Amino acid sequence: MFGFNLPISRQYIVPPIVLATIATVLMAFDMRDALEFHRQLISEGQVWRIWSSQYIHTNWTHLALNLVGILFIWVLHAEHTSIRRYFIHVLFLGLWTGIGIWLFCPDIRVYTGLSGLLHGIIVWGALKDIQVKEPTGILLFLGIVGKLAWEQYAGPSTDVGNLIDSRVAIESHLIGAIGGLVLALPLIKGKLGFAVKQ
């Protein structure tokens, strides 16, 4: 038998609980019409939708899938972060993904969901694993790269799209993952020995 210690300290459990609660409350109060990414309405001045859309969902199944993602990240990487860093990442990646969709994905007219920013958080966590010599870090990173490459080649999953009543925005996964790389630049520089001397 082997032990498996979950990261249950307050600093590790508060951030994912808060994020999950916010997403659930927004779903329960049906805030989609007011907050979703809607290209026409954004062009008319409702620019908050670029960012707010990242935290709402099309239906309860969509939310449940992303809550599983939050749980997965907590189990894997909670101990790499802090309350402050977690929310900086969540806020930055939400804005990064929304702006990326606005600028580079003109075919996406409506968008919702946490999945883009969650991909960014997973990428950052995998690179942090590599920095601290966690043996699964490279495998996780290669797995994410493989998933993203397959999505871009094969296109969005029809089955998942049917579950969430929306096309899976695989572009947001790639944009979010790139945002995770941006957040991880200090880790990469340090790993390669290029850290700036204090």
mmCIF file of all heavy atoms in Angstrom, residues 58-89:
data_model
loop_
_atom_site.group_PDB
_atom_site.id
_atom_site.type_symbol
_atom_site.label_atom_id
_atom_site.label_comp_id
_atom_site.label_asym_id
_atom_site.label_seq_id
_atom_site.Cartn_x
_atom_site.Cartn_y
_atom_site.Cartn_z
ATOM 1 N N THR A 58 -22.035 27.212 -21.083
ATOM 2 C CA THR A 58 -23.249 27.050 -21.878
ATOM 3 C C THR A 58 -24.318 26.252 -21.139
ATOM 4 O O THR A 58 -25.506 26.514 -21.289
ATOM 5 C CB THR A 58 -22.942 26.335 -23.203
ATOM 6 O OG1 THR A 58 -22.274 25.094 -22.927
ATOM 7 C CG2 THR A 58 -22.065 27.202 -24.094
ATOM 8 N N ASN A 59 -23.888 25.239 -20.374
ATOM 9 C CA ASN A 59 -24.841 24.427 -19.623
ATOM 10 C C ASN A 59 -24.110 23.765 -18.446
ATOM 11 O O ASN A 59 -22.904 23.950 -18.255
ATOM 12 C CB ASN A 59 -25.532 23.382 -20.522
ATOM 13 C CG ASN A 59 -24.553 22.427 -21.190
ATOM 14 O OD1 ASN A 59 -23.449 22.191 -20.699
ATOM 15 N ND2 ASN A 59 -24.961 21.864 -22.309
ATOM 16 N N TRP A 60 -24.856 22.996 -17.665
ATOM 17 C CA TRP A 60 -24.269 22.394 -16.467
ATOM 18 C C TRP A 60 -23.219 21.339 -16.806
ATOM 19 O O TRP A 60 -22.255 21.158 -16.054
ATOM 20 C CB TRP A 60 -25.369 21.797 -15.584
ATOM 21 C CG TRP A 60 -26.175 22.861 -14.898
ATOM 22 C CD1 TRP A 60 -27.414 23.298 -15.241
ATOM 23 C CD2 TRP A 60 -25.777 23.632 -13.750
ATOM 24 N NE1 TRP A 60 -27.817 24.304 -14.389
ATOM 25 C CE2 TRP A 60 -26.840 24.531 -13.460
ATOM 26 C CE3 TRP A 60 -24.636 23.657 -12.945
ATOM 27 C CZ2 TRP A 60 -26.794 25.432 -12.400
ATOM 28 C CZ3 TRP A 60 -24.584 24.564 -11.884
ATOM 29 C CH2 TRP A 60 -25.651 25.430 -11.625
ATOM 30 N N THR A 61 -23.377 20.656 -17.931
ATOM 31 C CA THR A 61 -22.361 19.685 -18.344
ATOM 32 C C THR A 61 -21.052 20.381 -18.675
ATOM 33 O O THR A 61 -19.965 19.914 -18.305
ATOM 34 C CB THR A 61 -22.859 18.882 -19.562
ATOM 35 O OG1 THR A 61 -24.086 18.227 -19.236
ATOM 36 C CG2 THR A 61 -21.831 17.846 -19.979
ATOM 37 N N HIS A 62 -21.152 21.502 -19.373
ATOM 38 C CA HIS A 62 -19.975 22.308 -19.692
ATOM 39 C C HIS A 62 -19.259 22.735 -18.409
ATOM 40 O O HIS A 62 -18.035 22.596 -18.271
ATOM 41 C CB HIS A 62 -20.424 23.535 -20.502
ATOM 42 C CG HIS A 62 -19.312 24.326 -21.095
ATOM 43 N ND1 HIS A 62 -19.494 25.616 -21.547
ATOM 44 C CD2 HIS A 62 -18.003 24.043 -21.299
ATOM 45 C CE1 HIS A 62 -18.357 26.076 -22.023
ATOM 46 N NE2 HIS A 62 -17.425 25.143 -21.883
ATOM 47 N N LEU A 63 -20.034 23.211 -17.459
ATOM 48 C CA LEU A 63 -19.459 23.607 -16.170
ATOM 49 C C LEU A 63 -18.818 22.413 -15.477
ATOM 50 O O LEU A 63 -17.694 22.515 -14.966
ATOM 51 C CB LEU A 63 -20.540 24.208 -15.276
ATOM 52 C CG LEU A 63 -20.127 24.509 -13.830
ATOM 53 C CD1 LEU A 63 -19.036 25.570 -13.778
ATOM 54 C CD2 LEU A 63 -21.332 24.941 -13.004
ATOM 55 N N ALA A 64 -19.499 21.272 -15.463
ATOM 56 C CA ALA A 64 -18.972 20.089 -14.781
ATOM 57 C C ALA A 64 -17.634 19.656 -15.363
ATOM 58 O O ALA A 64 -16.713 19.292 -14.624
ATOM 59 C CB ALA A 64 -19.981 18.946 -14.866
ATOM 60 N N LEU A 65 -17.502 19.701 -16.684
ATOM 61 C CA LEU A 65 -16.236 19.331 -17.317
ATOM 62 C C LEU A 65 -15.113 20.247 -16.862
ATOM 63 O O LEU A 65 -13.985 19.796 -16.592
ATOM 64 C CB LEU A 65 -16.389 19.383 -18.843
ATOM 65 C CG LEU A 65 -17.270 18.303 -19.477
ATOM 66 C CD1 LEU A 65 -17.487 18.601 -20.954
ATOM 67 C CD2 LEU A 65 -16.653 16.919 -19.290
ATOM 68 N N ASN A 66 -15.396 21.531 -16.750
ATOM 69 C CA ASN A 66 -14.361 22.461 -16.313
ATOM 70 C C ASN A 66 -14.088 22.366 -14.818
ATOM 71 O O ASN A 66 -12.964 22.605 -14.371
ATOM 72 C CB ASN A 66 -14.725 23.889 -16.720
ATOM 73 C CG ASN A 66 -14.417 24.161 -18.180
ATOM 74 O OD1 ASN A 66 -13.490 23.604 -18.755
ATOM 75 N ND2 ASN A 66 -15.208 25.016 -18.801
ATOM 76 N N LEU A 67 -15.090 22.003 -14.032
ATOM 77 C CA LEU A 67 -14.847 21.772 -12.607
ATOM 78 C C LEU A 67 -13.923 20.572 -12.411
ATOM 79 O O LEU A 67 -13.065 20.577 -11.513
ATOM 80 C CB LEU A 67 -16.171 21.545 -11.872
ATOM 81 C CG LEU A 67 -17.107 22.751 -11.767
ATOM 82 C CD1 LEU A 67 -18.378 22.375 -11.013
ATOM 83 C CD2 LEU A 67 -16.427 23.942 -11.099
ATOM 84 N N VAL A 68 -14.075 19.558 -13.251
ATOM 85 C CA VAL A 68 -13.146 18.423 -13.216
ATOM 86 C C VAL A 68 -11.729 18.902 -13.536
ATOM 87 O O VAL A 68 -10.755 18.465 -12.915
ATOM 88 C CB VAL A 68 -13.592 17.314 -14.197
ATOM 89 C CG1 VAL A 68 -12.508 16.245 -14.337
ATOM 90 C CG2 VAL A 68 -14.886 16.678 -13.725
ATOM 91 N N GLY A 69 -11.612 19.822 -14.492
ATOM 92 C CA GLY A 69 -10.317 20.393 -14.817
ATOM 93 C C GLY A 69 -9.697 21.132 -13.641
ATOM 94 O O GLY A 69 -8.501 21.005 -13.364
ATOM 95 N N ILE A 70 -10.509 21.911 -12.928
ATOM 96 C CA ILE A 70 -10.029 22.617 -11.736
ATOM 97 C C ILE A 70 -9.536 21.618 -10.698
ATOM 98 O O ILE A 70 -8.474 21.799 -10.087
ATOM 99 C CB ILE A 70 -11.142 23.507 -11.150
ATOM 100 C CG1 ILE A 70 -11.478 24.656 -12.107
ATOM 101 C CG2 ILE A 70 -10.732 24.058 -9.779
ATOM 102 C CD1 ILE A 70 -12.698 25.464 -11.687
ATOM 103 N N LEU A 71 -10.294 20.546 -10.505
ATOM 104 C CA LEU A 71 -9.912 19.503 -9.544
ATOM 105 C C LEU A 71 -8.609 18.829 -9.956
ATOM 106 O O LEU A 71 -7.716 18.605 -9.129
ATOM 107 C CB LEU A 71 -11.035 18.472 -9.435
ATOM 108 C CG LEU A 71 -10.795 17.287 -8.491
ATOM 109 C CD1 LEU A 71 -10.673 17.761 -7.051
ATOM 110 C CD2 LEU A 71 -11.925 16.256 -8.632
ATOM 111 N N PHE A 72 -8.483 18.511 -11.222
ATOM 112 C CA PHE A 72 -7.288 17.864 -11.769
ATOM 113 C C PHE A 72 -6.056 18.729 -11.519
ATOM 114 O O PHE A 72 -5.008 18.241 -11.059
ATOM 115 C CB PHE A 72 -7.505 17.631 -13.269
ATOM 116 C CG PHE A 72 -6.342 17.014 -13.990
ATOM 117 C CD1 PHE A 72 -6.024 15.682 -13.816
ATOM 118 C CD2 PHE A 72 -5.582 17.779 -14.870
ATOM 119 C CE1 PHE A 72 -4.957 15.110 -14.498
ATOM 120 C CE2 PHE A 72 -4.518 17.220 -15.556
ATOM 121 C CZ PHE A 72 -4.200 15.882 -15.377
ATOM 122 N N ILE A 73 -6.169 20.020 -11.791
ATOM 123 C CA ILE A 73 -5.050 20.940 -11.581
ATOM 124 C C ILE A 73 -4.707 21.034 -10.097
ATOM 125 O O ILE A 73 -3.527 21.074 -9.720
ATOM 126 C CB ILE A 73 -5.389 22.329 -12.157
ATOM 127 C CG1 ILE A 73 -5.451 22.252 -13.682
ATOM 128 C CG2 ILE A 73 -4.374 23.380 -11.709
ATOM 129 C CD1 ILE A 73 -6.063 23.468 -14.337
ATOM 130 N N TRP A 74 -5.726 21.067 -9.246
ATOM 131 C CA TRP A 74 -5.482 21.124 -7.799
ATOM 132 C C TRP A 74 -4.693 19.912 -7.332
ATOM 133 O O TRP A 74 -3.706 20.048 -6.601
ATOM 134 C CB TRP A 74 -6.811 21.217 -7.060
ATOM 135 C CG TRP A 74 -6.697 21.017 -5.579
ATOM 136 C CD1 TRP A 74 -6.135 21.878 -4.677
ATOM 137 C CD2 TRP A 74 -7.131 19.874 -4.822
ATOM 138 N NE1 TRP A 74 -6.201 21.349 -3.407
ATOM 139 C CE2 TRP A 74 -6.806 20.121 -3.472
ATOM 140 C CE3 TRP A 74 -7.767 18.691 -5.163
ATOM 141 C CZ2 TRP A 74 -7.092 19.207 -2.461
ATOM 142 C CZ3 TRP A 74 -8.061 17.780 -4.163
ATOM 143 C CH2 TRP A 74 -7.719 18.041 -2.828
ATOM 144 N N VAL A 75 -5.095 18.728 -7.755
ATOM 145 C CA VAL A 75 -4.400 17.503 -7.336
ATOM 146 C C VAL A 75 -2.955 17.512 -7.819
ATOM 147 O O VAL A 75 -2.035 17.167 -7.076
ATOM 148 C CB VAL A 75 -5.139 16.253 -7.867
ATOM 149 C CG1 VAL A 75 -4.307 14.990 -7.643
ATOM 150 C CG2 VAL A 75 -6.496 16.113 -7.194
ATOM 151 N N LEU A 76 -2.735 17.941 -9.065
ATOM 152 C CA LEU A 76 -1.401 17.871 -9.652
ATOM 153 C C LEU A 76 -0.463 18.978 -9.173
ATOM 154 O O LEU A 76 0.715 18.718 -8.911
ATOM 155 C CB LEU A 76 -1.496 17.945 -11.176
ATOM 156 C CG LEU A 76 -1.995 16.717 -11.918
ATOM 157 C CD1 LEU A 76 -2.026 16.998 -13.410
ATOM 158 C CD2 LEU A 76 -1.108 15.504 -11.632
ATOM 159 N N HIS A 77 -0.985 20.204 -9.072
ATOM 160 C CA HIS A 77 -0.069 21.343 -8.980
ATOM 161 C C HIS A 77 -0.383 22.349 -7.879
ATOM 162 O O HIS A 77 0.231 23.419 -7.854
ATOM 163 C CB HIS A 77 -0.041 22.086 -10.321
ATOM 164 C CG HIS A 77 0.493 21.271 -11.446
ATOM 165 N ND1 HIS A 77 -0.032 21.296 -12.720
ATOM 166 C CD2 HIS A 77 1.518 20.376 -11.475
ATOM 167 C CE1 HIS A 77 0.643 20.473 -13.491
ATOM 168 N NE2 HIS A 77 1.580 19.902 -12.761
ATOM 169 N N ALA A 78 -1.285 22.034 -6.974
ATOM 170 C CA ALA A 78 -1.639 23.010 -5.941
ATOM 171 C C ALA A 78 -0.421 23.473 -5.152
ATOM 172 O O ALA A 78 -0.300 24.655 -4.803
ATOM 173 C CB ALA A 78 -2.684 22.423 -4.996
ATOM 174 N N GLU A 79 0.497 22.569 -4.881
ATOM 175 C CA GLU A 79 1.635 22.912 -4.031
ATOM 176 C C GLU A 79 2.672 23.771 -4.743
ATOM 177 O O GLU A 79 3.627 24.232 -4.117
ATOM 178 C CB GLU A 79 2.261 21.632 -3.481
ATOM 179 C CG GLU A 79 1.317 20.898 -2.516
ATOM 180 C CD GLU A 79 1.870 19.574 -2.036
ATOM 181 O OE1 GLU A 79 2.870 19.106 -2.602
ATOM 182 O OE2 GLU A 79 1.302 19.013 -1.086
ATOM 183 N N HIS A 80 2.499 23.982 -6.034
ATOM 184 C CA HIS A 80 3.417 24.859 -6.770
ATOM 185 C C HIS A 80 3.042 26.335 -6.643
ATOM 186 O O HIS A 80 3.812 27.206 -7.056
ATOM 187 C CB HIS A 80 3.407 24.508 -8.268
ATOM 188 C CG HIS A 80 4.105 23.240 -8.597
ATOM 189 N ND1 HIS A 80 5.100 22.696 -7.825
ATOM 190 C CD2 HIS A 80 3.946 22.391 -9.646
ATOM 191 C CE1 HIS A 80 5.530 21.580 -8.377
ATOM 192 N NE2 HIS A 80 4.844 21.370 -9.478
ATOM 193 N N THR A 81 1.873 26.608 -6.134
ATOM 194 C CA THR A 81 1.366 27.975 -6.226
ATOM 195 C C THR A 81 0.969 28.512 -4.858
ATOM 196 O O THR A 81 1.153 27.865 -3.836
ATOM 197 C CB THR A 81 0.181 28.032 -7.222
ATOM 198 O OG1 THR A 81 -0.141 29.391 -7.500
ATOM 199 C CG2 THR A 81 -1.029 27.301 -6.696
ATOM 200 N N SER A 82 0.445 29.713 -4.860
ATOM 201 C CA SER A 82 -0.051 30.369 -3.654
ATOM 202 C C SER A 82 -1.393 30.997 -4.018
ATOM 203 O O SER A 82 -1.772 31.032 -5.190
ATOM 204 C CB SER A 82 0.918 31.450 -3.187
ATOM 205 O OG SER A 82 1.020 32.473 -4.176
ATOM 206 N N ILE A 83 -2.090 31.494 -3.022
ATOM 207 C CA ILE A 83 -3.371 32.145 -3.311
ATOM 208 C C ILE A 83 -3.174 33.302 -4.288
ATOM 209 O O ILE A 83 -3.901 33.428 -5.274
ATOM 210 C CB ILE A 83 -4.030 32.633 -2.004
ATOM 211 C CG1 ILE A 83 -4.442 31.426 -1.144
ATOM 212 C CG2 ILE A 83 -5.246 33.511 -2.305
ATOM 213 C CD1 ILE A 83 -5.005 31.793 0.216
ATOM 214 N N ARG A 84 -2.181 34.122 -4.024
ATOM 215 C CA ARG A 84 -1.936 35.287 -4.882
ATOM 216 C C ARG A 84 -1.575 34.857 -6.311
ATOM 217 O O ARG A 84 -2.135 35.365 -7.284
ATOM 218 C CB ARG A 84 -0.814 36.135 -4.286
ATOM 219 C CG ARG A 84 -0.447 37.355 -5.114
ATOM 220 C CD ARG A 84 0.598 38.208 -4.379
ATOM 221 N NE ARG A 84 0.998 39.360 -5.161
ATOM 222 C CZ ARG A 84 2.000 39.351 -6.039
ATOM 223 N NH1 ARG A 84 2.694 38.246 -6.234
ATOM 224 N NH2 ARG A 84 2.303 40.448 -6.706
ATOM 225 N N ARG A 85 -0.658 33.919 -6.427
ATOM 226 C CA ARG A 85 -0.221 33.492 -7.758
ATOM 227 C C ARG A 85 -1.362 32.827 -8.519
ATOM 228 O O ARG A 85 -1.527 33.060 -9.713
ATOM 229 C CB ARG A 85 0.953 32.525 -7.651
ATOM 230 C CG ARG A 85 1.417 31.982 -9.019
ATOM 231 C CD ARG A 85 2.553 30.998 -8.847
ATOM 232 N NE ARG A 85 3.766 31.678 -8.452
ATOM 233 C CZ ARG A 85 4.733 31.119 -7.721
ATOM 234 N NH1 ARG A 85 4.590 29.885 -7.275
ATOM 235 N NH2 ARG A 85 5.822 31.792 -7.424
ATOM 236 N N TYR A 86 -2.165 32.029 -7.838
ATOM 237 C CA TYR A 86 -3.289 31.335 -8.486
ATOM 238 C C TYR A 86 -4.228 32.350 -9.141
ATOM 239 O O TYR A 86 -4.592 32.199 -10.312
ATOM 240 C CB TYR A 86 -4.038 30.503 -7.451
ATOM 241 C CG TYR A 86 -5.105 29.588 -8.026
ATOM 242 C CD1 TYR A 86 -4.841 28.246 -8.253
ATOM 243 C CD2 TYR A 86 -6.389 30.067 -8.307
ATOM 244 C CE1 TYR A 86 -5.820 27.393 -8.757
ATOM 245 C CE2 TYR A 86 -7.372 29.224 -8.817
ATOM 246 C CZ TYR A 86 -7.086 27.887 -9.032
ATOM 247 O OH TYR A 86 -8.060 27.057 -9.539
ATOM 248 N N PHE A 87 -4.597 33.383 -8.393
ATOM 249 C CA PHE A 87 -5.559 34.335 -8.935
ATOM 250 C C PHE A 87 -4.922 35.254 -9.976
ATOM 251 O O PHE A 87 -5.605 35.679 -10.919
ATOM 252 C CB PHE A 87 -6.231 35.117 -7.815
ATOM 253 C CG PHE A 87 -7.225 34.289 -7.057
ATOM 254 C CD1 PHE A 87 -7.027 33.970 -5.734
ATOM 255 C CD2 PHE A 87 -8.348 33.787 -7.695
ATOM 256 C CE1 PHE A 87 -7.935 33.188 -5.040
ATOM 257 C CE2 PHE A 87 -9.267 32.999 -7.020
ATOM 258 C CZ PHE A 87 -9.061 32.689 -5.689
ATOM 259 N N ILE A 88 -3.637 35.539 -9.850
ATOM 260 C CA ILE A 88 -2.957 36.273 -10.918
ATOM 261 C C ILE A 88 -3.017 35.464 -12.213
ATOM 262 O O ILE A 88 -3.312 35.995 -13.291
ATOM 263 C CB ILE A 88 -1.504 36.593 -10.535
ATOM 264 C CG1 ILE A 88 -1.471 37.704 -9.476
ATOM 265 C CG2 ILE A 88 -0.692 37.019 -11.766
ATOM 266 C CD1 ILE A 88 -0.099 37.975 -8.916
ATOM 267 N N HIS A 89 -2.736 34.172 -12.118
ATOM 268 C CA HIS A 89 -2.783 33.306 -13.298
ATOM 269 C C HIS A 89 -4.186 33.238 -13.878
ATOM 270 O O HIS A 89 -4.369 33.345 -15.098
ATOM 271 C CB HIS A 89 -2.301 31.903 -12.924
ATOM 272 C CG HIS A 89 -0.826 31.811 -12.723
ATOM 273 N ND1 HIS A 89 -0.173 30.615 -12.510
ATOM 274 C CD2 HIS A 89 0.143 32.761 -12.697
ATOM 275 C CE1 HIS A 89 1.126 30.835 -12.364
ATOM 276 N NE2 HIS A 89 1.336 32.122 -12.467
#
